[in-house]
Amino acid sequence: MPLVRIDAMHCDTARLEALGRAVHEALGETMGFPEEDHFQILTGHDGRQGLLRHGTYLGVRRDDGIVYVAITLRAGRPDAQKQALYRRISELAEEYAGTEPRNMFIVLTENRNGDWSLGNGEAQYLRERR
């Protein structure tokens, strides 16, 4: 179960929803997450009450179209699968939200089964291992 956080500059609700759909579909296509596994935090920043900093790094020139995608998920996927995820998110974000691939900044944070509580104060993934 991934937890997805998307932060974007000058982004209305429709664009945030399109970005969320892009990430959700890419996670399903490349990593096999089920459709109902859908936990996202979507935040637009207007430049006055919220800012996103960016710059050119490793030859990638970003601008105010920047979208940060932070995905937390359980560890264990190979690098090739992660690379496929990054590509597919960028493709779908361009298709659905008009976001240039150069402006898609994606980071995965992996953790273990005991690092999740999905409600009721329980560590459901630890129970699953019995």
Side-chain angles (χ1 to χ4, degrees):
M1 179 200 90
L3 174 63
V4 175
R5 180 177 178 118
I6 299 173
D7 289 270
M9 283 297 293
H10 310 294
C11 196
D12 61 16
T13 301
R15 183 165 176 246
L16 282 172
E17 288 179 1
L19 290 165
R21 182 168 52 120
V23 172
H24 186 66
E25 286 182 19
L27 282 164
E29 289 176 20
T30 63
M31 295 192 168
F33 286 105
E35 177 67 27
E36 66 274 6
D37 195 346
H38 198 178
F39 298 91
Q40 297 184 333
I41 302 162
L42 310 173
T43 307
H45 301 269
D46 64 7
R48 291 185 307 273
Q49 296 197 12
L51 293 171
L52 298 178
R53 301 283 186 212
H54 58 81
T56 299
Y57 183 68
L58 296 178
V60 181
R61 184 184 54 82
R62 294 163 201 85
D63 58 31
D64 276 351
I66 188 78
V67 175
Y68 289 105
V69 179
I71 303 171
T72 304
L73 69 169
R74 291 186 288 167
R77 286 145 189 101
D79 287 343
Q81 193 175 39
K82 294 173 188 178
Q83 291 172 320
L85 174 67
Y86 305 146
R87 275 190 302 276
R88 192 62 179 142
I89 288 173
S90 294
E91 291 167 357
L92 292 174
E94 184 172 36
E95 180 181 340
Y96 296 164
T99 302
E100 295 179 65
R102 68 184 175 87
N103 276 323
M104 292 302 299
F105 189 105
I106 305 164
V107 62
L108 297 181
T109 302
E110 297 181 309
N111 58 24
R112 298 179 309 190
N113 288 341
D115 296 324
W116 294 87
S117 174
L118 310 178
N120 296 323
E122 300 174 19
Q124 286 85 352
Y125 291 136
L126 290 179
R127 185 178 62 222
E128 174 181 292
R129 295 176 59 186
R130 291 183 197 160

